Amino acid sequence: MLDYKLEIAKAINKNVDMEIDQIYSMIEIPPQTSMGDYAFPCFQLSKTLRKAPVQIAADLAGKMEKLSFLKEIQQNSGFLNFFIEPSAFIYETTKQTIIEGDRLGSSNEGNGKTVLVEYSSPNIAKPFHVGHAFTTIIGNALYRIYDHLGYKTVRLNHLGDYGTQFGKLISAYKQWGNEADLEEHPIKELLRIYVKFHDEAKENPDLETEARLHFKNLEDGKPEEIALWERFRDLSLKEFSIIYKRLGVEFDDLNGESFYSDKIPEIVNILKDKNLLVESDGAQVVMLEDYNLPPCIILKSDGTTIYASRDVAAVLYRIRNYNFYKNIYVVGNPQALHFRQVFAVAEKMGLEDAKNCIHVGFGLVKFANMKFSTREGNIILLEDLLNECVAKTLEIIRKNQEERCTDMNEEEMLDVAEKVGLAAVIYTFCKNGRDRDIVFSWDEMLDFEGDSAPYVLYTYARCQSIIRKANALNIDYAKLNMDVFANVGNDDEFMLAKLIAGLGESVRKAAESNEPFMLVRQITSIARTFNKFYNNSPIMNNQDENLKKARLALCNATTIAIKTGLQMLGIQTVERM
RNA sequence: GGGUCUAUAGCUCAGCUGGAUAGAGCAACAGCCUUCUAAGCUGUGGGUCGGAGGUUCGAGUCCUCUUAGGCUCACCA
């Protein structure tokens, strides 16, 4: 599509001594539609031209050539305001959107570039709670966003499958493990014995020693410990996969901490060769004062490794195996310092690509005044949250069924409830900037009005309902031309088209800042504007056949924009609700 | 104490590289279903953008200082 802003910049350039690029970056979108669609502020020119901004704007308004897509050029105080022709713009946008379909807002900016996204990364044998939802949902959205922009993506689930807690688990299982329960509810059972271990260990410190021995045996590859560890891992993964499947989350690589463990000696050797490793309080550390960071421990005083060393090993591994453009870690903010240290160590090792490693942090999910704690047991399982949202959705659907006599059968109702319920959760986790902490609230989670996934999905379903009616009547709204759009162009229609046309820009910004909410807001604006349009302008009930077709086409474009946008967030649409 | 993030309407949050009268949603109040799904739409009230200086033609946005809170600061991950 024609870049209106660029055309305007070129036109201004003919009258002003300034580079097109600079003019382009100065052009902005006015805060109100009454001020036009694009604006050029003339304040900066007043220095070089030695004239008042108002005068410059007025002079410019008189000299500007008339561009075909412009309706009008106005001078308003120090601004030059450009008004574009609505009907032509709506026509172009609608046509283009329908042509692009589910590739709307895509680009080839990522061609030939690989982006790694590490997300979810739950700990084996621990419940999957709402805290994990944040990284899983944001990571999944980022993967889809980069994918849409043409990047080759690799989805990494850096499983927490290593460490001393496995010694404890093995120890606990051997004493209190219940085989039947383990098969039935693996994580529940593993958590039970894990908690029991901690309780017992308070009285009996020998347990800790025993656990350390089991972990040592695990590291040394003793068959019994290995077998148990593998079993715990497999059972946990099986249970996680249920949630992943439900959420449409997939991975290309499940290499966790254990995978990188045997790659640490090489890191240690490289650091030694470069004289970066120094002893401090018995531990081997890399000093990072040149980065204004505290030292990074590579080997503990007992000679064993630590998570920082594993993450450095992972960086090296990923550099060698994927020639990445970006290596993104979707991990909570509390680990910000850890990643700065890891990346700094990698850089000191001479790994150039360390600068392309990005920690994408996010706030804590808090529960009123307390923190979630697995050991305390005050957690909300993600599964329970999903089920709760699905149940509430189903309740609303049944109520609508009675009031509205929708002819949905049981199967369809369950399917819709599942999709809408999950969408509500996904939406809530990516509707705001990542850095803020989320105070978990059932009220907010179950608020299906206004700024929410059900709102957007409802809009989509409404749109599809109209399109179904049009199709049933064999109304052909596929053949479009400018004549059909002659009478289109009221404020709602114009705004809707502008927002649809802006979807790609919002995807780009979301990727640039690794903030899916930028896309969420765009989609929500599209939905809100459509609802306004829907309420103010009859679509099917219209005497003017051309207007009817044009509006149907705009409806069609709206469904494409919403569906494509939601897909990038991992949200599925429903045809009715 | 150092690092870092946050502070905008009663609540939850936007405000993208400084630009025109600071915007949404929720909650409150008042309306709209004999026309396309009321999980919707319209309207009203509600703000000294934590505080103080500064830079600028122009600051919620940039700089300095300051207040409050979250997270974090070596052998857990």
Side-chain angles (χ1 to χ4, degrees):
Chain A
M1 246 176 89
L2 192 63
D3 186 346
Y4 293 85
K5 200 167 144 183
L6 183 60
E7 296 306 312
I8 291 170
K10 283 183 192 163
I12 294 172
N13 172 259
K14 287 177 186 163
N15 297 301
V16 169
D17 185 26
M18 198 183 261
E19 295 294 316
I20 292 179
D21 284 355
Q22 199 189 342
I23 296 170
Y24 186 85
S25 69
M26 281 168 69
I27 294 174
E28 54 199 50
I29 293 167
Q32 284 172 45
T33 49
S34 62
M35 297 164 178
D37 304 299
Y38 293 99
F40 179 67
C42 301
F43 304 95
Q44 285 181 37
L45 289 171
S46 77
K47 273 182 205 147
T48 50
L49 296 179
R50 302 214 175 150
K51 276 198 283 186
V54 179
Q55 189 59 45
I56 297 166
D59 291 350
L60 228 40
K63 282 192 288 189
M64 290 291 295
E65 66 171 310
K66 183 87 173 74
L67 296 165
S68 62
F69 59 85
L70 286 180
K71 191 172 69 182
E72 200 182 354
I73 300 173
Q74 278 180 11
Q75 170 256 321
N76 268 310
S77 71
F79 292 91
L80 201 54
N81 292 343
F82 299 85
F83 293 76
I84 62 178
E85 190 63 59
S87 47
F89 178 81
I90 297 167
Y91 166 60
E92 287 294 335
T93 302
T94 305
K95 189 178 74 175
Q96 198 59 32
T97 300
I98 292 168
I99 290 169
E100 291 183 23
D102 64 5
R103 294 192 40 78
L104 179 68
S106 66
S107 86
N108 55 10
E109 71 166 69
N111 282 4
K113 294 174 183 159
T114 301
V115 172
L116 313 188
V117 188
E118 177 188 307
Y119 58 106
S120 200
S121 310
N123 287 329
I124 295 302
K126 296 266 183 71
F128 204 95
H129 57 79
V130 293
H132 297 111
F134 219 150
T135 163
T136 306
I137 288 167
I138 296 274
N140 187 42
L142 288 177
Y143 140 65
R144 288 166 187 270
I145 286 167
Y146 279 106
D147 183 62
H148 202 69
L149 292 173
Y151 292 89
K152 180 172 184 281
T153 52
V154 181
R155 300 161 292 182
L156 308 160
N157 194 351
H158 191 82
L159 294 172
D161 59 0
Y162 213 63
T164 45
Q165 75 265 28
F166 287 93
K168 295 176 186 174
L169 220 43
I170 290 167
S171 189
Y173 178 75
K174 285 168 74 95
Q175 289 183 68
W176 311 296
N178 179 307
E179 193 54 28
D181 289 345
L182 188 64
E183 281 300 323
E184 189 76 18
H185 305 289
I187 290 177
K188 200 174 159 194
E189 171 64 3
L190 290 171
L191 182 64
R192 181 187 71 82
I193 60 173
Y194 185 70
V195 170
K196 188 170 174 65
F197 179 90
H198 276 276
D199 289 344
E200 298 280 334
K202 279 177 201 155
E203 308 296 321
N204 180 7
D206 289 348
L207 285 173
E208 298 276 1
T209 318
E210 189 187 303
R212 268 192 290 276
L213 181 67
H214 282 303
F215 180 61
K216 179 84 170 50
N217 288 343
L218 179 63
E219 278 201 298
D220 294 346
K222 294 271 172 67
E224 187 186 7
E225 279 82 0
I226 290 276
L228 280 172
W229 172 81
E230 278 181 350
R231 180 118 188 275
F232 297 158
R233 190 177 188 272
D234 290 348
L235 285 169
S236 301
L237 270 175
K238 206 170 139 195
E239 205 164 318
F240 294 152
S241 71
I242 297 168
I243 286 271
Y244 288 144
K245 195 168 180 192
R246 233 178 141 182
L247 288 169
V249 171
E250 294 176 348
F251 298 96
D252 304 300
D253 182 331
L254 290 173
N255 293 332
E257 289 158 12
S258 62
F259 176 83
Y260 295 105
S261 199
D262 64 1
K263 294 165 184 60
I264 296 174
E266 186 187 356
I267 298 294
V268 173
N269 288 335
I270 296 171
L271 289 171
K272 274 184 186 156
D273 286 349
K274 298 198 182 252
N275 286 320
L276 291 168
L277 224 45
V278 294
E279 204 205 290
S280 171
D281 289 341
Q284 295 291 315
V285 309
V286 176
M287 300 306 284
L288 297 170
E289 58 275 84
D290 43 338
Y291 287 81
N292 202 17
L293 293 172
C296 180
I297 294 186
I298 298 297
L299 293 174
K300 294 187 275 190
S301 44
D302 64 1
T304 57
T305 63
I306 189 168
Y307 64 111
S309 23
R310 277 191 280 277
D311 271 333
V312 175
V315 170
L316 179 59
Y317 177 85
R318 290 176 193 179
I319 288 172
R320 280 179 183 161
N321 287 274
Y322 310 102
N323 180 26
F324 60 74
Y325 170 71
K326 283 185 189 175
N327 177 22
I328 294 170
Y329 295 79
V330 186
V331 181
N333 279 333
Q335 298 206 49
L337 178 61
H338 162 71
F339 281 109
R340 288 212 289 156
Q341 289 178 302
V342 167
F343 302 156
V345 170
E347 204 166 282
K348 289 194 97 154
M349 282 170 65
L351 303 176
E352 283 258 332
D353 284 315
K355 66 178 188 302
N356 297 321
C357 294
I358 304 157
H359 172 222
V360 171
F362 54 84
L364 253 59
V365 180
K366 293 190 292 195
F367 197 41
N369 286 323
M370 51 182 163
K371 236 172 115 171
F372 285 115
S373 164
T374 304
R375 279 188 220 166
E376 303 287 330
N378 59 342
I379 51 165
I380 295 173
L381 297 181
L382 182 55
E383 192 190 348
D384 292 341
L385 172 61
L386 298 181
N387 290 342
E388 197 72 32
C389 288
V390 171
K392 160 116 189 230
T393 307
L394 191 58
E395 202 179 293
I396 296 172
I397 293 171
R398 287 200 200 284
K399 200 182 84 214
N400 289 345
Q401 166 92 315
E402 285 167 25
E403 290 173 4
R404 230 184 267 153
C405 294
T406 53
D407 54 343
M408 272 197 233
N409 60 34
E410 187 67 15
E411 193 188 348
E412 186 179 357
M413 285 197 281
L414 290 173
D415 179 58
V416 170
E418 170 77 6
K419 284 175 181 157
V420 175
L422 296 194
V425 176
I426 294 171
Y427 189 100
T428 305
F429 278 100
C430 45
K431 74 169 174 177
N432 293 135
R434 311 177 317 253
D435 277 323
R436 283 177 182 277
D437 289 349
I438 290 183
V439 177
F440 187 88
S441 137
W442 280 109
D443 283 347
E444 202 184 322
M445 275 291 174
L446 296 172
D447 181 5
F448 290 176
E449 281 165 25
D451 194 4
S452 69
Y455 174 88
V456 176
L457 290 172
Y458 181 74
T459 310
Y460 177 86
R462 251 181 172 179
C463 238
Q464 290 294 49
S465 169
I466 295 173
I467 289 170
R468 275 194 301 273
K469 289 205 163 94
N471 289 342
L473 294 169
N474 285 316
I475 299 172
D476 181 11
Y477 53 91
K479 286 196 204 75
L480 303 177
N481 58 54
M482 210 26 240
D483 291 341
V484 174
F485 281 76
N487 292 325
V488 178
N490 66 36
D491 287 352
D492 297 339
E493 292 160 337
F494 192 24
M495 182 58 76
L496 182 56
K498 279 198 267 190
L499 289 167
I500 292 170
L503 187 77
E505 174 75 359
S506 76
V507 177
R508 236 202 54 234
K509 279 182 185 160
E512 197 180 299
S513 54
N514 295 306
E515 284 282 21
F517 89 92
M518 299 211 172
L519 173 58
V520 173
R521 293 189 98 85
Q522 186 77 15
I523 298 165
T524 308
S525 297
I526 291 171
R528 184 162 301 120
T529 307
F530 177 83
N531 280 325
K532 205 177 277 191
F533 162 63
Y534 175 93
N535 270 274
N536 296 336
S537 313
I539 298 163
M540 289 291 283
N541 306 322
N542 215 314
Q543 310 298 333
D544 183 336
E545 284 300 314
N546 276 340
L547 189 55
K548 186 192 287 184
K549 286 181 187 173
R551 284 181 172 166
L552 279 168
L554 191 52
C555 270
N556 194 10
T558 302
T559 62
I560 290 167
I562 291 178
K563 185 171 191 169
T564 307
L566 290 180
Q567 239 156 26
M568 276 181 263
L569 302 171
I571 293 176
Q572 286 182 275
T573 48
V574 293
E575 299 305 303
R576 302 196 292 179
M577 63 187 276

